[in-house]
Amino acid sequence: INDGEGHPSSSQQTLKGTSKWATSLENLLEDPEGVKRFREFLKKEFSEENVLFWLACEEFKKTQGKKQMQEKAKEIYMTFLSSKASSQVNVEGQSRLSETILETPHPLMFQKLQDQIFNLMKYDSYSRFLKSDIFLNHKKSEEQEENSPEAQTAAKRASRIYNT
């Protein structure tokens, strides 16, 4: 269904903000504002390192050049995976990497660990995030913006234009 100018009608428009975040963790992680709110929530739960590790792995996959990969791989290892890591993530022991693998990095070297952390977030903290004050307050403020007099006036003007 399109409006008079070939644009999708409001019922066909893609979801935005909190509505999109609530559909999947993947959608949440694709939205910079969603990541910001999720990090805020995880910080309160003392598990922000999970999303930071996941984001670092995503960034690592885009790294070009062996030298840059080695540097980033070492940084990820030292920050999240080493026994002395400042923000150690909780991954299964047998899937931990040894430092020797850092010498020959490849884009998917952290994939197994990243998947573990993703699943941990998806089946644990993500569902709590959707019930949290951080999420619910953001959702409420979004709804208030949509229902503000300015937004309604624009919608009424648009409906008058198309319904004449």
Side-chain angles (χ1 to χ4, degrees), residues 41 45 47 119-129:
F41 170 75
E45 291 216 326
S47 59
N119 286 327
L120 180 71
M121 291 188 300
K122 183 175 184 172
Y123 297 110
D124 186 36
S125 36
Y126 174 65
S127 54
R128 284 197 308 279
F129 170 71

Side-chain angles (χ1 to χ4, degrees), residues 6-25:
H7 300 103
S9 69
S10 59
S11 64
Q12 295 286 33
Q13 286 177 347
T14 55
L15 296 172
K16 288 193 245 114
T18 54
S19 301
K20 192 171 183 182
W21 303 349
T23 59
S24 72
L25 179 57

Side-chain angles (χ1 to χ4, degrees), residues 80-104:
F80 301 106
L81 300 169
S82 139
S83 57
K84 302 175 198 103
S86 55
S87 299
Q88 193 177 49
V89 290
N90 187 11
V91 289
E92 291 174 23
Q94 73 268 22
S95 38
R96 283 202 175 278
L97 300 173
S98 71
E99 263 182 88
T100 54
I101 197 171
L102 300 176
E103 299 306 313
T104 55

Side-chain angles (χ1 to χ4, degrees), residues 24-65:
S24 72
L25 179 57
E26 290 89 338
N27 285 340
L28 172 71
L29 293 172
E30 286 173 5
D31 182 340
E33 183 65 22
V35 169
K36 180 180 164 188
R37 300 296 172 170
F38 193 47
R39 279 185 64 184
E40 204 177 309
F41 170 75
L42 291 175
K43 206 177 275 186
K44 288 182 176 189
E45 291 216 326
F46 304 102
S47 59
E48 183 188 21
E49 67 279 357
N50 290 335
V51 75
L52 294 175
F53 173 71
W54 188 88
L55 292 166
C57 290
E58 284 299 289
E59 198 57 40
F60 178 75
K61 290 175 195 174
K62 301 173 196 164
T63 305
Q64 301 290 313

